[in-house]
Amino acid sequence: YAMQRLQAACAEKGPLCVGLDTDPSYLPPEVLRQFDAPADAVLAYNRALIAATAESAACFKVQIAYYAALGLAGLAAYSKTLKAVRDSGIPVIADVKRGDIADTAKAYAKAHFEGDFEADIVTLNPYMGFETLEPFLEYVEKSGKGAFVLLRTSNPGLKDIEWLELSASAPSALIDSEGG
């Protein structure tokens, strides 16, 4: 359901995704001066961006790292930013790139699809295998949530891992060459 909402929003408004990867250093100084805490300035700025772009935006993407770097106050701003987007009725993507296994993956899925950090769609990194996706896919099936799965990146360092050519013996050869 979330992915269909996103597709419908893109069909109606175009493909504009507003990134709320808001670091205090990106904010105008006059905005920062209005608040005692950087996280409060970030939240106010995000709310203003949401209001200013809601008519044109098909979705908003919120990168959790910027908020986590601000500590507990930052995570509160993250939660309130997600809620502000959800309240606008526009799909919100939590850019969290989660990719763990077993109960940890279940906890991440619950954290990002329920409660304080609820989003419509999340980003996932399946490096440790498809089992990392399973808890999230349960929410997709039962609750209509959505996921973008990282398959290939565009950053310069992608060649370090993504383009690495391995043979059947390469993993053990790598371990042996490092004294493992």
Side-chain angles (χ1 to χ4, degrees):
Y1 173 70
M3 299 308 275
Q4 288 83 5
R5 281 183 53 226
L6 177 59
Q7 288 172 336
C10 288
E12 177 187 337
K13 297 179 179 183
L16 178 62
C17 176
V18 177
L20 297 174
D21 304 355
T22 315
D23 184 277
S25 69
Y26 303 160
L27 303 183
E30 59 272 13
V31 172
L32 284 171
R33 283 193 295 269
Q34 295 176 28
F35 298 90
D36 293 331
D40 294 337
V42 164
L43 178 59
Y45 192 75
N46 286 349
R47 286 180 171 156
L49 280 174
I50 293 164
T53 59
E55 190 173 304
S56 301
C59 64
F60 289 87
K61 180 191 70 69
V62 188
Q63 171 45 265
I64 194 170
Y66 291 91
Y67 303 87
L70 297 173
L72 294 177
L75 288 176
Y78 174 75
S79 175
K80 291 173 183 174
T81 296
L82 292 171
K83 185 175 182 341
V85 176
R86 284 194 326 273
D87 288 349
S88 76
I90 298 171
V92 62
I93 302 166
D95 191 357
V96 296
K97 295 181 189 76
R98 299 297 186 216
D100 215 320
I101 58 172
D103 288 340
T104 306
K106 289 178 186 175
Y108 276 137
K110 182 176 181 177
H112 296 294
F113 282 149
E114 294 183 27
D116 292 338
F117 302 134
E118 181 180 358
D120 299 308
I121 301 165
V122 296
T123 58
L124 302 173
N125 182 350
Y127 180 77
M128 294 190 345
F130 291 124
E131 68 187 283
T132 63
L133 306 177
E134 290 170 4
F136 294 91
L137 296 178
E138 290 176 24
Y139 280 92
V140 169
E141 292 172 13
K142 294 178 184 173
S143 304
K145 297 295 185 176
F148 284 106
V149 179
L150 178 66
L151 297 176
R152 172 120 340 165
T153 62
S154 59
N155 60 302
L158 74 100
K159 65 185 180 323
D160 299 339
I161 301 293
E162 294 176 40
W163 289 3
L164 193 62
E165 291 187 38
L166 301 175
S167 67
S169 62
S172 61
L174 286 174
I175 293 169
D176 291 341
S177 69
E178 296 176 4

